[in-house]
Amino acid sequence: MKTFFFIIDEEMVKNDPQKTWKKIKSELKNSKINYKIIKVHNLKQISRVIQQFVDTLGMHALTDAVVISCGRNIFFLEVLSNLLNAAKVKIPVAFIPFEDKNIFAKKIGVSLDPLIALQQIFNTIRPTYYNLVEMDEATHTVKKVFLDEVIIGFNAYLSSLLQNSRMLIFLQEHHSYYAARFCGLVAAFVNREHFAATLRINHKYYFFKNTCSVSIKNITPESEFKTASQLQTSEQLLNISVISSLNPFTSFLLWLFRKFKAETKLPFVHTFKQKQFHLMINSLEFGQIDNRELTNKFYDVFFRIVNYPFWFDVDSVSLTQKKQKG
């Protein structure tokens, strides 16, 4: 029988006016499942908590465990990354969204209503495998995963400005998003410098001296359950986009061509579709992972698709219920 380990984002619980965890806890008391609750007070504790969790349970217990993250999207990513690093087996995971925006939840059909997401977990008989992307530092000291997209350079810097500039935050709070974005674009074009990026794909090197932006997106379709044999033969690709020589004029061209899904025709847009690749950037650059801001850093990273089991039966509730928000 499965044991469900609920790992709780205490920071989110304390600042949640909807009292989501209280509602979930009430549902758990009325259920007939085996469950345990593990509280995590901040993101820095996750690594220690997950390692302790893996060390405490034996191999047999791990194979009968399901880990459920309750809290922010960033919290779930940290839980998943540390599980990949610490456990010798792939422990099925699930998450209960506490935020209104979750691209991955929308992509695979998990309801944004926490109680309906919990129902999708309880209705599950076997795990569903989805493709994640693993970021492995060349030193092999840090491994992270992302679900949707990593961006480096110009777009990450612009996003950082919109999130951290007091003036731009003021404009956004007073319903002037487009004015804030325009001001952010001006500041980004004035302050950003081009950088050198190197891609290694299938033992072949691609050098870009005047790079402005790099994005890596998980584009693999994730609609149905996949068996182990299907996972070996299914197409699993990353979409890599390198944009060079970006200025206000070429930025407008890029926006226009994207409207018609024809950006690959532009000479300053370089795209690749691969299962894995190696990225090297020898300058400190802004970055974002699934809309989460990263510290400025150098990049010497291997990106690859990894298949991971999720404990969801997304089709066990109606389409109307999936679209409901808590």
PDB file of all heavy atoms in Angstrom, residues 5 29 41 45 49 77 102 108 117 128 144 170 199-200 208 253 282 288 308:
ATOM      1  N   PHE A   5       3.704  11.063   1.404  1.00  0.00           N
ATOM      2  CA  PHE A   5       4.471  11.999   2.232  1.00  0.00           C
ATOM      3  C   PHE A   5       4.196  13.420   1.734  1.00  0.00           C
ATOM      4  O   PHE A   5       4.616  13.796   0.645  1.00  0.00           O
ATOM      5  CB  PHE A   5       5.958  11.674   2.158  1.00  0.00           C
ATOM      6  CG  PHE A   5       6.327  10.352   2.787  1.00  0.00           C
ATOM      7  CD1 PHE A   5       6.252   9.173   2.048  1.00  0.00           C
ATOM      8  CD2 PHE A   5       6.725  10.281   4.112  1.00  0.00           C
ATOM      9  CE1 PHE A   5       6.578   7.951   2.616  1.00  0.00           C
ATOM     10  CE2 PHE A   5       7.050   9.056   4.691  1.00  0.00           C
ATOM     11  CZ  PHE A   5       6.969   7.890   3.946  1.00  0.00           C
ATOM     12  N   LYS A  29      -7.839  13.907   6.812  1.00  0.00           N
ATOM     13  CA  LYS A  29      -8.376  13.255   8.008  1.00  0.00           C
ATOM     14  C   LYS A  29      -9.587  12.388   7.684  1.00  0.00           C
ATOM     15  O   LYS A  29      -9.845  11.384   8.354  1.00  0.00           O
ATOM     16  CB  LYS A  29      -8.752  14.320   9.048  1.00  0.00           C
ATOM     17  CG  LYS A  29      -7.553  14.977   9.710  1.00  0.00           C
ATOM     18  CD  LYS A  29      -7.980  16.028  10.722  1.00  0.00           C
ATOM     19  CE  LYS A  29      -6.769  16.678  11.379  1.00  0.00           C
ATOM     20  NZ  LYS A  29      -7.167  17.748  12.332  1.00  0.00           N
ATOM     21  N   HIS A  41      10.490  24.741   6.708  1.00  0.00           N
ATOM     22  CA  HIS A  41      10.274  26.145   7.077  1.00  0.00           C
ATOM     23  C   HIS A  41      10.821  27.129   6.049  1.00  0.00           C
ATOM     24  O   HIS A  41      10.334  28.251   5.948  1.00  0.00           O
ATOM     25  CB  HIS A  41      10.869  26.422   8.458  1.00  0.00           C
ATOM     26  CG  HIS A  41      10.206  25.628   9.543  1.00  0.00           C
ATOM     27  ND1 HIS A  41       8.940  25.905  10.007  1.00  0.00           N
ATOM     28  CD2 HIS A  41      10.628  24.526  10.237  1.00  0.00           C
ATOM     29  CE1 HIS A  41       8.606  25.037  10.950  1.00  0.00           C
ATOM     30  NE2 HIS A  41       9.613  24.187  11.110  1.00  0.00           N
ATOM     31  N   GLN A  45      16.243  24.589   3.765  1.00  0.00           N
ATOM     32  CA  GLN A  45      16.127  23.336   4.516  1.00  0.00           C
ATOM     33  C   GLN A  45      15.813  22.130   3.632  1.00  0.00           C
ATOM     34  O   GLN A  45      15.970  20.988   4.072  1.00  0.00           O
ATOM     35  CB  GLN A  45      15.015  23.455   5.569  1.00  0.00           C
ATOM     36  CG  GLN A  45      15.357  24.325   6.762  1.00  0.00           C
ATOM     37  CD  GLN A  45      14.265  24.235   7.812  1.00  0.00           C
ATOM     38  OE1 GLN A  45      13.103  23.972   7.497  1.00  0.00           O
ATOM     39  NE2 GLN A  45      14.624  24.454   9.066  1.00  0.00           N
ATOM     40  N   VAL A  49      16.242  18.078   4.492  1.00  0.00           N
ATOM     41  CA  VAL A  49      15.009  17.339   4.772  1.00  0.00           C
ATOM     42  C   VAL A  49      14.854  16.160   3.816  1.00  0.00           C
ATOM     43  O   VAL A  49      14.521  15.041   4.244  1.00  0.00           O
ATOM     44  CB  VAL A  49      13.785  18.282   4.670  1.00  0.00           C
ATOM     45  CG1 VAL A  49      12.484  17.479   4.684  1.00  0.00           C
ATOM     46  CG2 VAL A  49      13.788  19.283   5.819  1.00  0.00           C
ATOM     47  N   LEU A  77       9.969  22.601  -7.362  1.00  0.00           N
ATOM     48  CA  LEU A  77      11.185  22.398  -8.163  1.00  0.00           C
ATOM     49  C   LEU A  77      12.363  22.002  -7.285  1.00  0.00           C
ATOM     50  O   LEU A  77      13.161  21.136  -7.648  1.00  0.00           O
ATOM     51  CB  LEU A  77      11.527  23.664  -8.952  1.00  0.00           C
ATOM     52  CG  LEU A  77      10.758  23.890 -10.256  1.00  0.00           C
ATOM     53  CD1 LEU A  77      11.174  25.215 -10.887  1.00  0.00           C
ATOM     54  CD2 LEU A  77      10.984  22.754 -11.239  1.00  0.00           C
ATOM     55  N   ASN A 102       0.611  28.215 -12.989  1.00  0.00           N
ATOM     56  CA  ASN A 102       1.476  27.040 -12.998  1.00  0.00           C
ATOM     57  C   ASN A 102       1.407  26.453 -14.408  1.00  0.00           C
ATOM     58  O   ASN A 102       0.467  25.737 -14.752  1.00  0.00           O
ATOM     59  CB  ASN A 102       1.037  26.010 -11.951  1.00  0.00           C
ATOM     60  CG  ASN A 102       2.041  24.886 -11.786  1.00  0.00           C
ATOM     61  OD1 ASN A 102       2.501  24.301 -12.760  1.00  0.00           O
ATOM     62  ND2 ASN A 102       2.390  24.583 -10.546  1.00  0.00           N
ATOM     63  N   ILE A 108      -0.179  19.589 -18.288  1.00  0.00           N
ATOM     64  CA  ILE A 108      -0.493  18.160 -18.121  1.00  0.00           C
ATOM     65  C   ILE A 108      -1.917  17.919 -17.628  1.00  0.00           C
ATOM     66  O   ILE A 108      -2.356  16.777 -17.571  1.00  0.00           O
ATOM     67  CB  ILE A 108       0.509  17.467 -17.170  1.00  0.00           C
ATOM     68  CG1 ILE A 108       0.384  17.984 -15.733  1.00  0.00           C
ATOM     69  CG2 ILE A 108       1.935  17.622 -17.682  1.00  0.00           C
ATOM     70  CD1 ILE A 108       1.248  17.231 -14.733  1.00  0.00           C
ATOM     71  N   ALA A 117      -7.065  18.911  -7.277  1.00  0.00           N
ATOM     72  CA  ALA A 117      -5.742  18.318  -7.539  1.00  0.00           C
ATOM     73  C   ALA A 117      -5.499  17.150  -6.582  1.00  0.00           C
ATOM     74  O   ALA A 117      -4.942  16.119  -6.972  1.00  0.00           O
ATOM     75  CB  ALA A 117      -4.658  19.378  -7.375  1.00  0.00           C
ATOM     76  N   THR A 128       2.270   8.286 -14.052  1.00  0.00           N
ATOM     77  CA  THR A 128       2.389   8.740 -15.435  1.00  0.00           C
ATOM     78  C   THR A 128       3.761   9.368 -15.593  1.00  0.00           C
ATOM     79  O   THR A 128       4.183  10.162 -14.750  1.00  0.00           O
ATOM     80  CB  THR A 128       1.303   9.780 -15.762  1.00  0.00           C
ATOM     81  OG1 THR A 128       0.022   9.200 -15.533  1.00  0.00           O
ATOM     82  CG2 THR A 128       1.405  10.239 -17.205  1.00  0.00           C
ATOM     83  N   LYS A 144      19.911  20.495 -11.222  1.00  0.00           N
ATOM     84  CA  LYS A 144      18.583  21.071 -11.069  1.00  0.00           C
ATOM     85  C   LYS A 144      17.711  20.576 -12.207  1.00  0.00           C
ATOM     86  O   LYS A 144      18.209  20.104 -13.227  1.00  0.00           O
ATOM     87  CB  LYS A 144      18.649  22.603 -11.071  1.00  0.00           C
ATOM     88  CG  LYS A 144      19.256  23.197  -9.806  1.00  0.00           C
ATOM     89  CD  LYS A 144      19.073  24.690  -9.763  1.00  0.00           C
ATOM     90  CE  LYS A 144      19.580  25.285  -8.455  1.00  0.00           C
ATOM     91  NZ  LYS A 144      18.788  24.854  -7.290  1.00  0.00           N
ATOM     92  N   PHE A 170       5.854  50.080  -9.563  1.00  0.00           N
ATOM     93  CA  PHE A 170       4.818  51.105  -9.329  1.00  0.00           C
ATOM     94  C   PHE A 170       3.906  51.226 -10.551  1.00  0.00           C
ATOM     95  O   PHE A 170       2.678  51.274 -10.424  1.00  0.00           O
ATOM     96  CB  PHE A 170       5.483  52.448  -9.033  1.00  0.00           C
ATOM     97  CG  PHE A 170       4.514  53.590  -8.895  1.00  0.00           C
ATOM     98  CD1 PHE A 170       3.855  53.811  -7.695  1.00  0.00           C
ATOM     99  CD2 PHE A 170       4.254  54.445  -9.967  1.00  0.00           C
ATOM    100  CE1 PHE A 170       2.948  54.850  -7.565  1.00  0.00           C
ATOM    101  CE2 PHE A 170       3.347  55.478  -9.847  1.00  0.00           C
ATOM    102  CZ  PHE A 170       2.697  55.693  -8.646  1.00  0.00           C
ATOM    103  N   LEU A 199      27.770  26.255 -27.936  1.00  0.00           N
ATOM    104  CA  LEU A 199      26.947  25.059 -27.822  1.00  0.00           C
ATOM    105  C   LEU A 199      27.731  23.864 -28.345  1.00  0.00           C
ATOM    106  O   LEU A 199      28.387  23.960 -29.383  1.00  0.00           O
ATOM    107  CB  LEU A 199      25.665  25.181 -28.648  1.00  0.00           C
ATOM    108  CG  LEU A 199      24.615  26.214 -28.233  1.00  0.00           C
ATOM    109  CD1 LEU A 199      23.432  26.150 -29.191  1.00  0.00           C
ATOM    110  CD2 LEU A 199      24.145  25.985 -26.814  1.00  0.00           C
ATOM    111  N   ARG A 200      27.668  22.768 -27.627  1.00  0.00           N
ATOM    112  CA  ARG A 200      28.229  21.510 -28.135  1.00  0.00           C
ATOM    113  C   ARG A 200      27.090  20.521 -28.295  1.00  0.00           C
ATOM    114  O   ARG A 200      26.459  20.119 -27.328  1.00  0.00           O
ATOM    115  CB  ARG A 200      29.298  20.954 -27.185  1.00  0.00           C
ATOM    116  CG  ARG A 200      29.967  19.680 -27.726  1.00  0.00           C
ATOM    117  CD  ARG A 200      31.219  19.330 -26.930  1.00  0.00           C
ATOM    118  NE  ARG A 200      30.913  18.967 -25.563  1.00  0.00           N
ATOM    119  CZ  ARG A 200      30.594  17.724 -25.153  1.00  0.00           C
ATOM    120  NH1 ARG A 200      30.524  16.739 -26.039  1.00  0.00           N
ATOM    121  NH2 ARG A 200      30.349  17.474 -23.880  1.00  0.00           N
ATOM    122  N   PHE A 208      28.924  31.508 -30.887  1.00  0.00           N
ATOM    123  CA  PHE A 208      28.153  32.730 -31.096  1.00  0.00           C
ATOM    124  C   PHE A 208      28.821  33.852 -30.305  1.00  0.00           C
ATOM    125  O   PHE A 208      28.778  33.856 -29.070  1.00  0.00           O
ATOM    126  CB  PHE A 208      26.703  32.535 -30.636  1.00  0.00           C
ATOM    127  CG  PHE A 208      26.010  31.386 -31.320  1.00  0.00           C
ATOM    128  CD1 PHE A 208      25.957  30.134 -30.706  1.00  0.00           C
ATOM    129  CD2 PHE A 208      25.427  31.546 -32.567  1.00  0.00           C
ATOM    130  CE1 PHE A 208      25.323  29.070 -31.322  1.00  0.00           C
ATOM    131  CE2 PHE A 208      24.793  30.482 -33.191  1.00  0.00           C
ATOM    132  CZ  PHE A 208      24.739  29.236 -32.574  1.00  0.00           C
ATOM    133  N   LEU A 253      11.237  43.229 -35.363  1.00  0.00           N
ATOM    134  CA  LEU A 253      11.146  42.200 -36.397  1.00  0.00           C
ATOM    135  C   LEU A 253      10.871  40.823 -35.784  1.00  0.00           C
ATOM    136  O   LEU A 253      10.044  40.053 -36.284  1.00  0.00           O
ATOM    137  CB  LEU A 253      12.444  42.138 -37.209  1.00  0.00           C
ATOM    138  CG  LEU A 253      12.613  43.110 -38.382  1.00  0.00           C
ATOM    139  CD1 LEU A 253      13.950  42.860 -39.054  1.00  0.00           C
ATOM    140  CD2 LEU A 253      11.485  42.954 -39.391  1.00  0.00           C
ATOM    141  N   ASN A 282      31.005  32.212 -20.636  1.00  0.00           N
ATOM    142  CA  ASN A 282      32.102  32.578 -19.726  1.00  0.00           C
ATOM    143  C   ASN A 282      31.971  33.985 -19.161  1.00  0.00           C
ATOM    144  O   ASN A 282      32.970  34.618 -18.829  1.00  0.00           O
ATOM    145  CB  ASN A 282      33.451  32.422 -20.442  1.00  0.00           C
ATOM    146  CG  ASN A 282      33.759  30.972 -20.760  1.00  0.00           C
ATOM    147  OD1 ASN A 282      33.448  30.082 -19.971  1.00  0.00           O
ATOM    148  ND2 ASN A 282      34.340  30.733 -21.927  1.00  0.00           N
ATOM    149  N   GLN A 288      16.763  32.821 -15.771  1.00  0.00           N
ATOM    150  CA  GLN A 288      15.497  32.458 -15.142  1.00  0.00           C
ATOM    151  C   GLN A 288      15.209  31.000 -15.425  1.00  0.00           C
ATOM    152  O   GLN A 288      15.494  30.502 -16.515  1.00  0.00           O
ATOM    153  CB  GLN A 288      14.338  33.293 -15.707  1.00  0.00           C
ATOM    154  CG  GLN A 288      14.044  34.553 -14.948  1.00  0.00           C
ATOM    155  CD  GLN A 288      12.648  35.071 -15.248  1.00  0.00           C
ATOM    156  OE1 GLN A 288      12.015  34.662 -16.210  1.00  0.00           O
ATOM    157  NE2 GLN A 288      12.164  35.971 -14.435  1.00  0.00           N
ATOM    158  N   TYR A 308      10.333  11.209 -15.587  1.00  0.00           N
ATOM    159  CA  TYR A 308      10.099  11.063 -14.159  1.00  0.00           C
ATOM    160  C   TYR A 308       8.629  10.710 -13.902  1.00  0.00           C
ATOM    161  O   TYR A 308       7.731  11.243 -14.557  1.00  0.00           O
ATOM    162  CB  TYR A 308      10.476  12.343 -13.409  1.00  0.00           C
ATOM    163  CG  TYR A 308      10.798  12.082 -11.957  1.00  0.00           C
ATOM    164  CD1 TYR A 308      12.089  11.733 -11.566  1.00  0.00           C
ATOM    165  CD2 TYR A 308       9.800  12.121 -10.993  1.00  0.00           C
ATOM    166  CE1 TYR A 308      12.374  11.443 -10.238  1.00  0.00           C
ATOM    167  CE2 TYR A 308      10.074  11.838  -9.673  1.00  0.00           C
ATOM    168  CZ  TYR A 308      11.368  11.498  -9.300  1.00  0.00           C
ATOM    169  OH  TYR A 308      11.634  11.194  -7.993  1.00  0.00           O
TER     170      TYR A 308
END
